């Protein structure tokens, strides 16, 4: 691990992270079109999401911490792609990095840990939707072997404008 990451630890998320993870996500809800949620969550509203990502199995939550275990730098998840049973071997992945972290490679560390944790889970493909434009997320996904498979044009409306979502897939 590069020296700039020496203090960064990546671990499974826990209930003790709920408030901080909710705050981090709400930043993206309020300030960006990276998520199409439009109303911030309370921690209690976000609890089912956290509990749907146990420490094992195909649906994971990995958290990067630094300068103490309570300083969350970001998180990555794998979640069901769709609810129908035939989709069970596919997951949707995502990464959120704290806005004050900057370009420190936290997304890379999180995806490394997530894909390592998913190895041996019997999954076939990972998918990621990237609201456009988002060059940093596009580069991250391509670095991990995701390839662009299509774009939904003007699929979301937030902040008074339409947003495209580029979809990427990766063989697991």
């Amino acid at each position: 691990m590069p020296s700039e990451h020496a203090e960064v630890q990546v671990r499974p998320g826990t209930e003790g992270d709920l408030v901080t993870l909710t705050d981090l996500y709400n930043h993206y809800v309020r300030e960006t079109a990276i998520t199409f949620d439009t109303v911030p969550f309370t921690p209690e509203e976000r609890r089912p999401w956290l509990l749907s990502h146990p420490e094992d199995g195909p649906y994971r939550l990995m958290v990067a911490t630094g300068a103490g275990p309570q300083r969350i730098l970001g998180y990555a998840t794998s979640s069901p792609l769709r609810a129908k049973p035939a989709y069970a071997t596919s997951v949707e992945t995502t990464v959120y990095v704290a806005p004050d972290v900057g370009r420190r490679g936290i997304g890379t560390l999180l995806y490394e840990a997530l894909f390592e944790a998913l190895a041996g889970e019997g999954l076939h493909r990972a998918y990621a939707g990237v609201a456009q434009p988002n060059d940093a997320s596009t580069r991250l996904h391509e670095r991990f072997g995701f390839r662009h498979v299509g774009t939904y044009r003007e699929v979301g409306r937030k902040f008074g404008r339409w947003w495209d979502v580029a979809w990427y897939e990766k063989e697991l």
Side-chain angles (χ1 to χ4, degrees), residues 1 5-11 63-67 71 73 109-110:
M1 185 179 293
H5 296 137
E7 76 283 359
V8 177
Q9 300 294 315
V10 178
R11 59 166 174 75
V63 173
T65 63
R71 171 67 169 117
L73 305 174
L109 291 174
L110 285 162

Side-chain angles (χ1 to χ4, degrees), residues 26-45:
N26 282 340
H27 162 79
Y28 287 95
V29 171
R30 285 187 307 272
E31 304 295 329
T32 77
I34 288 173
T35 175
F36 286 176
D37 281 315
T38 59
V39 176
F41 290 85
T42 66
E44 281 308 307
E45 291 169 329

Side-chain angles (χ1 to χ4, degrees), residues 78-95:
S78 58
S79 301
L81 179 65
R82 298 192 77 184
K84 295 178 180 170
Y87 289 106
T89 59
S90 297
V91 292
E92 183 174 350
T93 63
T94 192
V95 172

Side-chain angles (χ1 to χ4, degrees), residues 3-152:
S3 60
E4 66 194 47
H5 296 137
E7 76 283 359
V8 177
Q9 300 294 315
V10 178
R11 59 166 174 75
T14 67
E15 279 199 68
D17 301 323
L18 181 60
V19 171
T20 305
L21 291 173
T22 301
D23 289 344
L24 193 161
Y25 186 72
N26 282 340
H27 162 79
Y28 287 95
V29 171
R30 285 187 307 272
E31 304 295 329
T32 77
I34 288 173
T35 175
F36 286 176
D37 281 315
T38 59
V39 176
F41 290 85
T42 66
E44 281 308 307
E45 291 169 329
R46 198 80 166 134
R47 185 178 304 284
W49 164 84
L50 185 133
L51 295 177
S52 72
H53 295 89
E55 285 195 36
D56 58 5
Y59 311 129
R60 303 287 183 103
L61 165 62
M62 304 304 291
V63 173
T65 63
Q70 297 307 312
R71 171 67 169 117
I72 292 181
L73 305 174
Y75 68 90
T77 63
S78 58
S79 301
L81 179 65
R82 298 192 77 184
K84 295 178 180 170
Y87 289 106
T89 59
S90 297
V91 292
E92 183 174 350
T93 63
T94 192
V95 172
Y96 287 91
V97 175
D100 61 340
V101 170
R103 306 181 106 206
R104 292 182 36 197
I106 302 302
T108 297
L109 291 174
L110 285 162
Y111 256 4
E112 285 172 349
L114 179 65
F115 290 122
E116 183 178 317
L118 294 178
E121 290 294 342
L123 296 171
H124 184 62
R125 292 269 194 272
Y127 294 87
V130 179
Q132 297 297 304
N134 189 334
D135 292 339
S137 186
T138 296
R139 282 191 306 273
L140 174 68
H141 286 89
E142 289 174 348
R143 190 176 318 119
F144 277 88
F146 282 83
R147 66 180 183 84
H148 182 253
V149 292
T151 299
Y152 292 167

